[in-house]
Amino acid sequence: MPVWSSLIPFIAVTLALLFVPGTLVNLAGGFRPLSAIGFAPLVSTGIIAFAAIAGQLVGLAWGPIPIVITTVASALLGVGVRLVFRRFGIGGPPPPPDPATRVHLGWPVAGVLLGFGIIGRDMMVILGSPTNFSQTFDNIFHLNAVRWITEHRMGSALDMRMTSGLDTAAGFYPTAWHDIASGTLLTMNAMDPVRATSALLIVVTAVVWPISCLLLVRRLVVPTRTNQLALGVLAASFSAFPYLLVGFGVLYPNLLGLCLLPAVMALGTDILGLSQTPTPALAATWVAAAIGMFALVIAHPNVALVLTDVVGVIMVVYWAVPAVWRAWRTRTWTKPTKIKLVVLIGWLAGAMVALKVVRPPIEAGRWANPRNVIDALIETASVSPLEATIVVVPALLTLLGALVAIITRRYVLLVLLHAGLCFLWFVAAAVPISFFRDLITGSWYSDPYRLASLLPISALPLAVVGLDFLVEKLPVGRLKSLPGAVIPIAVAVLLIA
């Protein structure tokens, strides 16, 4: 513990950077306190990344001051948007939750704490010591970037000059990860990029990831005490994420973006009205979504592209196509249906443009196929791609959840999302190098590791559906005489084991 105790100040400052700015802006936009805290890491990342860009453009040295200024400006923006929405009668306060779906706050909080404990312990084991760091090319670059930004007080993603020199203008590089780590160092007046990186790794994987998963699952699946408590354990149970990217690369920018992605997806379900629970304040949702999308781009464009061209396309099609099809058949076009048609066409057009623009040279994506078709299918079904250890229970729960969703037709969106992400991974892993492979996965470098790490994002909600089905249908679910807390706690203990 004495060795790890040296990391506590770094973790504390990192937590403050990721939660304080975002919480203030979310409250200003109209979120209730719990939603404001939940979406805080996403919004804070966008604020920090924008502060680094704007500060450098106006000649302001990178550090806490640009973050404070940007936080205040973003909070004023949130207030302004809320007033505009109120003035024109857009949105309004969310409806009260259905009493049948009310879950005491203690259950999701306990679930997140379980995830924090399991992943935090795993990351400490993986690191070995807060002063250890991965001996890989990518990680050496990331550590150098954190130190360079800290020393030169220049963290703009639009002008990353570490490799080009101070006298030569540079191009875009996703620096959100490095801006947060260097922000921690400058706030502490320290120069230890290794400890700052270790602290950020633990916070992002053990705190931000479970919270993001909670936000998404609460919108896609009706919350219960059992699934809210078990959620944190399941978030820590898929070896493909967050663990795979900690060993490969190390792809820290991708890791940050993927930990934030479920939170952006949750906001998307609120905006489209696909949520199973009441939608929070609409103005705050739009502000958080706009800042969150910017955060994904600066964290890593690969992740933003997953949102626009895979997740977003599936969600918008699921939301719009049934209404448009009914209107086409009946020749009855209402205003909401026309809006859905415009959004559908606009989103698909934007997705095609993004797929073309955010694309590295083909030569950069000619990864060899790591798997044959049979192996890729097995690893897809088990949500355990590449070197990831097969964890049987969450894999079986995912398959059961998909089966339940298909039979009941209640959670079809979850199946579509998982199928889309699995398709990307399968093409990169098993389809030979060809025009088709380049077309589908070239924007992600056709990199099996990047795409394999996506699978738990869509598998987790399905696993929750499968868990709910088991608890409801097996005999233990009918033991009504037991106290209400017994079954959720027993399920969580079994999952941990």
Side-chain angles (χ1 to χ4, degrees):
M1 186 61 187
V3 176
W4 286 102
S5 64
S6 67
L7 204 62
I8 293 176
F10 292 87
I11 291 177
V13 174
T14 302
L15 284 169
L17 284 176
L18 283 175
F19 279 90
V20 174
T23 298
L24 294 175
V25 172
N26 288 337
L27 289 173
F31 270 140
R32 290 172 177 170
L34 293 179
S35 294
I37 295 171
F39 288 108
L42 174 67
V43 174
S44 292
T45 300
I47 289 171
I48 292 169
F50 184 81
I53 294 172
Q56 191 164 318
L57 288 175
V58 301
L60 188 62
W62 173 236
I65 292 178
I67 297 175
V68 171
I69 294 174
T70 306
T71 299
V72 173
S74 300
L76 293 174
L77 173 65
V79 172
V81 173
R82 179 154 56 101
L83 293 176
V84 170
F85 274 45
R86 183 182 302 170
R87 170 67 177 81
F88 291 97
I90 303 173
D98 183 349
T101 64
R102 282 182 178 173
V103 177
H104 189 275
L105 175 63
W107 296 102
V109 169
V112 169
L113 290 176
L114 284 175
F116 166 73
I118 297 170
I119 299 176
R121 171 201 170 275
D122 289 342
M123 290 303 159
M124 292 172 67
V125 171
I126 290 170
L127 289 170
S129 166
T131 57
N132 290 351
F133 57 91
S134 174
Q135 305 291 313
T136 52
F137 291 113
D138 291 63
N139 192 48
I140 301 304
F141 174 88
H142 296 316
L143 291 173
N144 279 329
V146 172
R147 176 150 192 163
W148 189 92
I149 291 172
T150 306
E151 287 182 344
H152 293 87
R153 309 289 293 273
M154 300 170 64
S156 173
L158 303 182
D159 191 13
M160 180 56 175
R161 303 190 190 187
M162 185 182 77
T163 56
S164 63
L166 290 173
D167 298 328
T168 305
F172 173 83
Y173 185 82
T175 57
W177 174 276
H178 316 88
D179 290 338
I180 298 169
S182 60
T184 296
L185 293 176
L186 289 168
T187 302
M188 298 176 64
N189 193 26
M191 181 56 75
D192 192 339
V194 175
R195 278 190 172 87
T197 297
S198 296
L200 183 54
L201 173 63
I202 291 174
V203 169
V204 166
T205 56
V207 180
V208 176
W209 167 247
I211 291 176
S212 290
C213 291
L214 174 68
L215 292 170
L216 178 61
V217 172
R218 280 181 68 87
R219 282 156 173 80
L220 295 179
V221 182
V222 175
T224 65
R225 287 177 295 184
T226 301
N227 66 34
Q228 296 296 280
L229 183 61
L231 180 62
V233 184
L234 290 173
S237 297
F238 291 98
S239 51
F241 192 81
Y243 306 103
L244 187 62
L245 292 188
V246 176
F248 173 76
V250 177
L251 301 181
Y252 285 142
N254 255 85
L255 178 75
L256 173 61
L258 291 179
C259 285
L260 298 173
L261 179 59
V264 185
M265 293 169 63
L267 292 169
T269 63
D270 288 339
I271 291 172
L272 296 177
L274 300 176
S275 177
Q276 298 280 344
T277 53
T279 301
L282 193 58
T285 300
W286 276 99
V287 171
I291 297 176
M293 188 64 199
F294 178 79
L296 287 191
V297 172
I298 307 301
H300 205 297
N302 279 175
V303 181
L305 198 65
V306 171
L307 179 66
T308 59
D309 283 62
V310 185
V311 171
V313 166
I314 292 171
M315 291 174 65
V316 170
V317 167
Y318 179 84
W319 168 72
V321 165
V324 172
W325 176 246
R326 285 193 299 269
W328 180 269
R329 292 184 61 185
T330 62
R331 299 296 189 267
T332 304
W333 292 89
T334 62
K335 184 177 180 180
T337 304
K338 292 177 181 178
I339 292 174
K340 289 186 176 184
L341 177 61
V342 171
V343 172
L344 176 64
I345 294 173
W347 191 279
L348 293 178
M352 292 177 64
V353 172
L355 194 66
K356 180 176 177 61
V357 172
V358 187
R359 180 175 289 269
I362 291 179
E363 296 76 18
R366 288 297 173 91
W367 287 67
N369 301 110
R371 294 292 183 267
N372 59 42
V373 172
I374 299 300
D375 287 342
L377 287 173
I378 294 172
E379 293 179 357
T380 301
S382 62
V383 200
S384 304
L386 301 171
E387 291 82 13
T389 302
I390 295 179
V391 189
V392 177
V393 172
L396 292 178
L397 288 176
T398 301
L399 291 173
L400 176 61
L403 184 62
V404 171
I406 292 171
I407 292 175
T408 64
R409 299 184 180 180
R410 186 177 181 184
Y411 295 113
V412 176
L413 177 60
L414 303 187
V415 178
L416 295 176
L417 290 171
H418 193 52
L421 296 181
C422 287
F423 175 70
L424 273 187
W425 138 253
F426 181 84
V427 170
V431 174
I433 295 175
S434 60
F435 172 78
F436 176 77
R437 185 173 185 252
D438 292 337
L439 176 66
I440 300 300
T441 62
S443 295
W444 295 272
Y445 299 94
S446 295
D447 178 1
Y449 287 88
R450 294 175 199 263
L451 298 175
S453 60
L454 295 172
L455 301 188
I457 293 175
S458 55
L460 181 59
L462 287 173
V464 169
V465 172
L467 179 66
D468 283 342
F469 177 81
L470 282 181
V471 172
E472 179 184 349
K473 296 299 181 183
L474 291 183
V476 67
R478 294 196 292 270
L479 298 178
K480 304 299 184 182
S481 60
L482 292 174
V486 170
I487 293 176
I489 293 174
V491 169
V493 169
L494 288 173
L495 286 176
I496 292 172

